[in-house]
């Protein structure tokens, strides 16, 4: 019989565990917001095409939080603040940092009132008190509306009425949106259960708190692919095989209890695998697991080669399951995702019309089928985050997904199946005698280990775990519930997300909160043991308490010539430096581009303030804005803006007034390929020695990403009388 090409979509759903053990308020609202925008939406779209089957991977720590939201056992700080009628300055600062975290070009700017609030963001970042309580009420409400499935905004009478109202929202309006979100948290899980019972989807699991299993087994396993990688010193090496086994076992138990049946498949967190984790997978009764094509290539010692259309030139090797060996005996099956096709959905197709994107993907799948022929059954896995890319698509991905599923349903050469559905009907033909160690990002583990912050984090976790074991062995009459809570704090701290954000390749506006949460979990262990919290738990992981930025105050006056050379000339020595790490969101690809804004240098002499902005992208495709707020004791602060649009050769100086931004004039500017240098006359700024200037820059590139440097707020620079450099 002629076989179609079997295609296995695996949509991975995951968010970090945002609360400390025993707490009922999450620091961040992303579980609830993704439930309202993505988790329910993804299964509702698929339900319209019953012949199209797919796999959804639900991480237990996410499922637990969804269940608790739906049952009223969990809130988040945004929910709590939404119920207030007035806010402190600290609370307003939090709201400003959180409530603008919406895709601006695709979502927020479609709504006039939200667009107005976006125009006030720069002023609010500098001084959150500039927004009124009415502004904050509207901001909170629009933030929650914008994080709602647009189909609900259009079809739910209560929500559509609020969208039409647009402004001057009441507390009742805000809570109406949040109550819809809580309802959707419960509906999402119920919909998944129903679709699996009907046979359209398969639900799979991940280790409970999403740890990188090979690194739990032993940090040193990262050296297999990355020899010479800096690791924690030998006394603080992390090696906890029992924890790796426990995370898998707890996941299967939770899945079975709350989703109605034993899971058959496992997506190891970040596709991270090693030979040592396979006994845990087999002992838990899991039939299959998955990772990336790079892991298969290294396991077979073959290259991943693509042709001019970026299609795999060896499809027969990559598009089939492999039987793994556990103690030389047949173990679970394993599949390996097509990296290119997965990344096309995650990163590329958002830039073209959804119908065109769906046509491109289906055409590529047909080409693969034609090359393989129809005499054997092959399986092409497409595995990616199922929640993070849709904000960049038209209508939350509906146009693409509807067109894709419709084409698959009508195409007899392609069949979308669940992974277990394929394995049940097509015996695994090949055996993989050796499994390489690595993940779906570059095939290695360096996203979660190797940077200085990683070393401090892993060392702190190793010390905390060792202290817990010593206390457990020495203490008597330990209350079982307290001991379980302490170990839960350890398991939460082992999650991949904390180490992801400590990586110098990743960043978010909430990095400081992630660091705080990671250390708070370890602090819980010492509180339970009635021991003083160690200084190395109290101290932020990054030196100086900064996770992303290396700040310097100016050390000397400078008078650089504006040349915008690729390298900063010695004339810039003495300037303050605000430096970014490479930035990405919660999704990362091996070749993902860094933040467009990398370094700001700020210096001055007696006549001008000098700014040098060093970019990772071409200045021809990057808009730049620098906010400068000057202040002095006893004087009203003044905010200035230096603006330079993409491809422009001149920067414009603006002053913020009660009526908005007022154009003041231009400033001498030099523009290079990736450098912009500007000299702003001190006279224009009214800047004199003894004052303080607060500096923060925004950049947007051709992908319309908005990046702030520093992301945590303006950097204060003391405008002091300094000598010229020696």
């Amino acid at each position: 019989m002629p076989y179609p090409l079997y295609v296995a979509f695996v949509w991975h759903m995951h968010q970090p565990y945002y609360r400390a053990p025993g707490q009922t308020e999450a620091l961040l609202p992303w579980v609830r917001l993704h439930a309202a925008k993505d988790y329910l939406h993804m299964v509702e779209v698929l339900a319209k095409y019953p012949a199209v089957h797919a796999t959804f991977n639900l991480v237990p720590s996410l499922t637990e939080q969804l269940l608790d939201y739906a049952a009223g056992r969990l809130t988040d700080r945004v929910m709590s603040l939404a119920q207030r009628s007035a806010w402190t300055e600290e609370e307003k600062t939090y709201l400003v940092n959180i409530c603008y975290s919406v895709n601006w070009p695709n979502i927020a700017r479609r709504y006039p009132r939200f667009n107005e609030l976006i125009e006030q963001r720069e002023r609010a970042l500098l001084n959150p008190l500039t927004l009124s309580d009415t502004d904050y009420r509207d901001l909170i409400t629009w933030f929650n509306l914008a994080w709602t499935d647009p189909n609900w905004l259009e079809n739910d009478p209560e929500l559509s009425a609020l969208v039409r109202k647009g402004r001057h929202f009441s507390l009742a309006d805000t809570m109406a949106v949040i109550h819809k979100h809580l309802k959707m948290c419960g509906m999402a899980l119920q919909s998944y259960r129903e679709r699996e019972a009907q046979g359209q989807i398969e639900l799979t699991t991940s280790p409970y708190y999403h740890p990188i299993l090979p690194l739990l087994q032993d940090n040193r396993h990262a050296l297999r692919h990355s020899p010479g990688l800096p690791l924690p010193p030998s006394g603080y090496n992390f090696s906890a095989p029992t924890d790796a086994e426990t995370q898998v076992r707890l996941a299967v138990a939770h899945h079975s209890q709350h989703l109605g049946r034993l899971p058959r498949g496992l997506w190891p967190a970040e596709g991270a695998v090693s030979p040592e984790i396979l006994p845990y997978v087999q002992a838990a009764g899991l039939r299959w697991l998955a990772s990336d094509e790079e892991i298969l290539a290294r396991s077979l010692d073959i290259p991943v080669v693509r042709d001019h259309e970026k299609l795999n030139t060896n499809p027969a090797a990559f598009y089939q399951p492999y039987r793994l060996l556990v103690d030389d005996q047949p173990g679970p099956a394993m599949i390996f995702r097509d990296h290119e096709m997965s990344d096309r959905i995650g990163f590329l197709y958002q830039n073209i019309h959804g119908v065109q994107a769906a046509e491109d993907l289906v055409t590529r799948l047909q080409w693969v089928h034609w090359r393989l022929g129809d005499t054997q059954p092959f399986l092409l896995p497409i595995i990616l985050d199922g929640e993070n890319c849709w904000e960049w698509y038209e209508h939350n991905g509906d146009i693409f997904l509807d067109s894709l599923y419709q084409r698959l349903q009508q195409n007899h050469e392609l069949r979308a199946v669940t992974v277990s559905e394929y394995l049940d009907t097509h015996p695994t033909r090949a055996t993989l005698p050796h499994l390489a160690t690595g993940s779906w990002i570059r095939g290695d583990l360096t996203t979660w280990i190797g940077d200085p912050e990683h070393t401090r984090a892993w060392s702190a976790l190793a010390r905390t775990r060792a202290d817990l074991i010593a206390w457990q062995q020495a203490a008597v009459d330990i209350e079982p519930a307290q001991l379980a809570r302490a170990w839960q704090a350890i398991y939460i701290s082992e999650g991949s997300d904390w180490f992801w954000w400590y990586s110098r390749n990743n960043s978010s506006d909430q990095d400081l909160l992630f660091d705080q949460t990671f250390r708070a979990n370890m602090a819980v262990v010492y509180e339970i043991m009635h021991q003083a919290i160690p200084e190395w738990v109290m101290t932020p992981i990054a030196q100086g308490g900064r996770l992303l930025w290396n700040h310097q105050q100016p050390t000397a006056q400078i008078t650089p010539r504006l040349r915008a050379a690729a390298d900063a000339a010695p004339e810039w020595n003495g300037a303050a430096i605000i430096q970014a790490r490479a930035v990405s969101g919660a999704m990362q690809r091996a070749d993902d581009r860094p933040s467009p804004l990398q370094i700001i240098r700020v210096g001055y002499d007696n006549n001008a303030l000098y700014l040098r902005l060093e970019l990772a992208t071409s200045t021809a495709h990057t808009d730049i804005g620098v906010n400068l707020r000057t202040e002095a004791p006893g004087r009203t602060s003044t905010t200035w803006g230096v603006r330079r649009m993409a491809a422009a050769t001149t920067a414009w100086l603006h002053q913020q007034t009660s009526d908005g931004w007022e154009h003041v004039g231009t400033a001498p500017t030099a523009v290079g390929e990736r450098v912009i240098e500007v000299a702003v006359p001190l006279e224009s700024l009214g800047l004199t020695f003894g004052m303080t200037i607060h500096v923060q820059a925004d950049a947007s590139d051709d992908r319309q990403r908005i990046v702030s440097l520093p992301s945590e707020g303006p950097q204060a620079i003391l405008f002091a009388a300094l000598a010229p450099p020696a």
Side-chain angles (χ1 to χ4, degrees):
M1 60 171 287
Y3 289 103
L5 174 64
Y6 295 94
V7 182
F9 288 95
V10 180
W11 302 111
H12 172 56
M13 306 301 196
H14 166 62
Q15 286 292 310
Y17 199 74
Y18 287 117
R19 61 177 175 188
Q23 299 299 310
T24 59
E25 181 179 278
L27 280 175
L28 293 168
W30 306 123
V31 168
R32 171 174 60 84
L33 298 180
H34 276 291
K37 192 178 80 68
D38 301 305
Y39 300 143
L40 178 59
H41 171 252
M42 285 295 287
V43 73
E44 286 184 335
V45 176
L46 184 67
K48 295 185 289 185
Y49 306 93
V52 178
H53 296 184
T55 301
F56 288 85
N57 188 75
L58 302 180
V59 178
S61 55
L62 167 65
T63 304
E64 179 189 322
Q65 292 176 90
L66 288 172
L67 288 165
D68 286 348
Y69 268 118
R73 295 187 296 265
L74 179 63
T75 63
D76 54 64
R77 196 177 181 200
V78 172
M79 284 178 61
S80 300
L81 292 176
Q83 299 177 61
R84 306 271 297 278
S85 57
W87 302 270
T88 67
E89 183 174 358
E90 184 274 331
E91 290 166 345
K92 289 180 175 181
T93 298
Y94 174 86
L95 290 171
V96 168
N97 284 329
I98 292 291
C99 292
Y100 286 104
S101 298
V102 180
N103 185 297
W104 291 7
N106 271 21
I107 300 174
R109 288 197 181 276
R110 291 188 294 141
Y111 304 107
R113 175 55 172 153
F114 209 163
N115 194 48
E116 291 174 14
L117 293 167
I118 289 172
E119 295 302 317
Q120 299 179 66
R121 173 179 176 266
E122 293 180 355
R123 185 176 62 174
L125 283 170
L126 294 168
N127 181 4
L129 299 179
T130 59
L131 296 184
S132 68
D133 287 342
T134 298
D135 291 331
Y136 277 102
R137 172 60 59 199
D138 285 0
L139 179 62
I140 295 169
T141 307
W142 269 116
F143 172 64
N144 284 281
L145 283 170
W147 273 96
T148 306
D149 180 354
N151 296 290
W152 279 62
L153 296 182
E154 294 158 6
N155 299 316
D156 182 274
E158 193 172 12
L159 293 177
S160 60
L162 291 175
V163 172
R164 290 193 301 271
K165 181 177 181 179
R167 63 183 65 236
H168 301 307
F169 294 116
S170 66
L171 171 59
D173 293 335
T174 311
M175 296 313 297
V177 182
I178 290 175
H179 289 149
K180 295 287 184 183
H181 287 187
L182 299 178
K183 176 182 178 182
M184 296 165 82
C185 288
M187 288 180 63
L189 291 177
Q190 183 60 30
S191 295
Y192 285 123
R193 295 187 196 101
E194 292 172 355
R195 286 291 120 191
E196 184 171 46
Q198 294 170 18
Q200 187 178 9
I201 71 172
E202 175 181 6
L203 296 178
T204 58
T205 193
S206 290
Y208 201 104
Y209 293 103
H210 208 257
I212 304 300
L213 289 179
L215 295 181
L216 289 199
Q217 185 75 20
D218 195 320
N219 277 178
R220 290 168 293 191
H221 291 173
L223 298 173
R224 292 172 177 171
H225 186 268
S226 308
L229 187 73
L231 298 180
S234 58
Y236 301 116
N237 176 66
F238 194 92
S239 178
T242 57
D243 290 10
E245 185 275 334
T246 298
Q247 295 263 10
V248 175
R249 177 172 47 80
L250 290 176
V252 171
H254 176 90
H255 189 107
S256 303
Q257 178 181 354
H258 295 289
L259 295 174
R261 61 179 68 183
L262 280 168
R264 302 174 74 186
L266 179 81
W267 171 250
E270 310 293 354
V273 295
S274 66
E276 290 80 7
I277 75 168
L278 297 182
Y280 314 142
V281 177
Q282 177 141 308
L286 295 158
R287 289 192 57 209
W288 63 267
L289 68 160
S291 187
D292 187 73
E293 63 183 24
E294 181 64 27
I295 300 301
L296 178 61
R298 289 177 41 223
S299 299
L300 295 175
D301 196 22
I302 60 175
V304 180
V305 179
R306 298 190 180 277
D307 62 16
H308 66 286
E309 295 289 349
K310 296 191 175 181
L311 295 175
N312 195 312
T313 60
N314 189 6
F318 286 87
Y319 301 148
Q320 64 169 319
Y322 285 79
R323 181 67 58 193
L324 300 172
L325 297 178
V326 180
D327 297 328
D328 296 324
Q329 298 298 313
M334 189 164 185
I335 62 171
F336 301 89
R337 74 172 191 145
D338 184 289
H339 197 114
E340 172 66 24
M341 292 198 194
S342 302
D343 275 3
R344 281 180 172 268
I345 298 175
F347 301 97
L348 177 63
Y349 288 152
Q350 61 190 242
N351 299 309
I352 61 178
H353 191 274
V355 173
Q356 180 185 353
E359 181 180 11
D360 180 85
L361 182 59
V362 170
T363 299
R364 290 173 178 279
L365 293 171
Q366 287 180 305
W367 284 345
V368 171
H369 182 236
W370 297 336
R371 292 182 180 186
L372 287 168
D374 59 9
T375 59
Q376 291 190 71
F378 288 96
L379 179 70
L380 192 156
I382 296 177
I383 306 174
L384 70 152
D385 287 349
E387 60 197 350
N388 288 313
C389 65
W390 306 119
E391 65 185 86
W392 292 101
Y393 278 73
E394 306 150 284
H395 210 269
N396 203 37
D398 280 327
I399 297 173
F400 169 73
L401 290 169
D402 279 326
S403 182
L404 173 63
Y405 291 157
Q406 184 177 46
R407 290 168 186 268
L408 289 172
Q409 186 159 273
Q410 297 172 348
N411 193 310
H412 299 296
E413 295 181 338
L414 307 173
R415 185 176 303 170
V417 295
T418 70
V419 178
S420 289
E421 183 180 2
Y422 175 90
L423 293 173
D424 285 344
T425 54
H426 303 290
T428 301
R429 301 186 295 271
T431 298
L432 195 65
H434 165 71
L435 179 63
T437 298
S439 76
W440 70 346
I441 300 177
R442 296 180 299 274
D444 61 32
L445 301 173
T446 59
T447 297
W448 307 275
I449 196 166
D451 287 339
E453 291 80 5
H454 287 142
T455 297
R456 288 191 284 275
W458 281 111
S459 297
L461 182 54
R463 294 172 73 176
T464 302
R465 186 178 185 277
D467 288 346
L468 175 58
I469 291 173
W471 175 76
Q472 182 178 348
Q473 292 173 343
V476 294
D477 297 328
I478 300 175
E479 185 179 342
Q482 289 294 83
L483 181 61
R485 184 166 164 253
W487 276 107
Q488 182 193 22
I490 294 292
Y491 299 146
I492 294 170
S493 302
E494 292 170 345
S496 69
D497 301 279
W498 322 117
F499 302 95
W500 170 283
W501 294 117
Y502 286 134
S503 169
R504 295 190 172 184
N505 291 322
N506 300 308
S507 170
S508 81
D509 288 340
Q510 288 84 51
D511 280 9
L512 295 176
L513 280 174
F514 280 113
D515 175 59
Q516 174 188 336
T517 306
F518 174 70
R519 292 182 293 105
N521 283 315
M522 291 187 290
V524 166
V525 176
Y526 290 94
E527 292 169 358
I528 291 171
M529 297 189 297
H530 301 291
Q531 296 179 11
I533 300 174
E535 183 64 26
W536 41 268
V537 173
M538 300 292 291
T539 303
I541 295 296
Q543 291 180 352
R546 299 288 191 182
L547 293 179
L548 292 175
W549 323 109
N550 299 320
H551 302 292
Q552 291 180 345
Q553 291 292 324
T555 58
Q557 283 195 20
I558 64 171
T559 307
R561 290 172 293 171
L562 303 185
R563 297 180 299 173
D567 296 321
E571 297 168 341
W572 285 91
N573 291 348
I577 299 174
I578 306 173
Q579 183 172 2
R581 299 176 182 170
V583 174
S584 75
M587 291 166 46
Q588 187 186 71
R589 58 191 294 181
D591 62 346
D592 203 18
R593 291 185 292 176
S595 162
L597 187 55
Q598 292 289 290
I599 295 175
I600 308 172
R601 301 178 193 268
V602 185
Y604 54 85
D605 57 19
N606 293 327
N607 301 306
L609 179 76
Y610 299 100
L611 303 170
R612 175 182 165 95
L613 299 107
E614 301 175 15
L615 313 181
T617 53
S618 169
T619 57
H621 301 103
T622 308
D623 297 338
I624 290 289
V626 183
N627 288 330
L628 308 169
R629 178 164 60 89
T630 59
E631 64 177 24
R635 293 173 57 178
T636 302
S637 65
T638 305
T639 300
W640 305 83
V642 179
R643 299 286 179 270
R644 184 265 175 191
M645 304 304 291
T649 57
T650 303
W652 296 78
L653 181 63
H654 302 268
Q655 181 179 0
Q656 190 176 66
T657 68
S658 58
D659 296 324
W661 291 101
E662 178 181 319
H663 174 61
V664 175
T666 60
T669 308
V671 180
E673 173 62 25
R674 295 192 176 187
V675 176
I676 301 168
E677 294 177 347
V678 182
V680 184
L682 298 186
E683 183 179 5
S684 299
L685 299 174
L687 194 59
T688 58
F689 293 129
M691 297 178 67
T692 300
I693 185 166
H694 299 260
V695 180
Q696 186 176 39
D698 289 325
S700 60
D701 62 9
D702 54 2
R703 285 183 61 183
Q704 297 183 295
R705 293 181 300 168
I706 309 296
V707 176
S708 297
L709 178 59
S711 71
E712 69 270 29
Q715 168 67 19
I717 294 175
L718 179 62
F719 192 66
L722 297 172

